[in-house]
């Protein structure tokens, strides 16, 4: 039996941000349809697609490219503010959480074991 390499300790934080973000983005669908009169197919396609993408990406965090893809996803979620204006603010909040997770991941990854 071989030993598995140590997992990135920040991976759980990245997954938590993405899972919470998926919930918030999915909840933007009824707001867009009911309050802002956005077409249901448009709101469902954009916000629903991004919510599913968040969950899929949370499962793919074992790959190094997933952090970059998550960063691109943060920009796309901020852009949903053009459909639901509150998403500009919420997207920036989640982007800040994502940036904090990257910072903490580098800080923990550079720590020397005792």
């Amino acid at each position: 039996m071989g030993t598995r390499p140590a997992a990135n300790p920040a991976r759980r934080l990245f997954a938590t941000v993405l899972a919470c973000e998926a919930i918030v983005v999915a909840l933007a669908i009824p707001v867009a349809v009911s309050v802002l009169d956005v077409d249901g197919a448009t709101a469902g396609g954009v916000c629903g697609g991004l919510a599913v993408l968040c969950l899929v990406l949370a499962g793919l965090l074992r790959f190094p490219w997933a952090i970059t893809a998550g960063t691109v996803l943060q920009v796309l979620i901020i852009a949903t503010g053009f459909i639901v204006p509150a998403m500009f603010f919420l997207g920036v909040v989640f982007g800040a959480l994502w940036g904090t997770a990257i910072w903490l991941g580098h800080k923990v990854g550079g720590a020397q074991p005792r």
Side-chain angles (χ1 to χ4, degrees):
M1 286 192 185
T3 60
R4 291 176 48 185
N8 180 356
R11 194 164 85 187
R12 184 176 296 163
L13 181 56
F14 286 122
T16 301
V17 169
L18 288 171
C20 292
E21 195 165 22
I23 293 168
V24 170
V25 173
L27 288 173
I29 297 170
V31 172
V33 173
S34 300
V35 178
L36 301 171
D37 293 325
V38 175
D39 179 50
T42 302
V46 172
C47 293
L50 288 173
V52 168
L53 193 56
C54 284
L55 295 176
V56 168
L57 196 56
L60 295 174
L61 285 169
R62 65 183 170 271
F63 299 107
W65 53 264
I67 304 300
T68 304
T71 303
V72 171
L73 183 63
Q74 300 308 311
V75 174
L76 294 175
I77 289 174
I78 292 170
T80 62
F82 291 110
I83 297 173
V84 178
M87 289 303 293
F88 283 126
F89 172 73
L90 292 171
V92 169
V93 168
F94 278 105
L97 290 171
W98 188 259
T100 301
I102 290 173
W103 176 73
L104 287 173
H106 287 301
K107 188 171 182 166
V108 170
Q112 298 290 331
R114 291 183 182 202

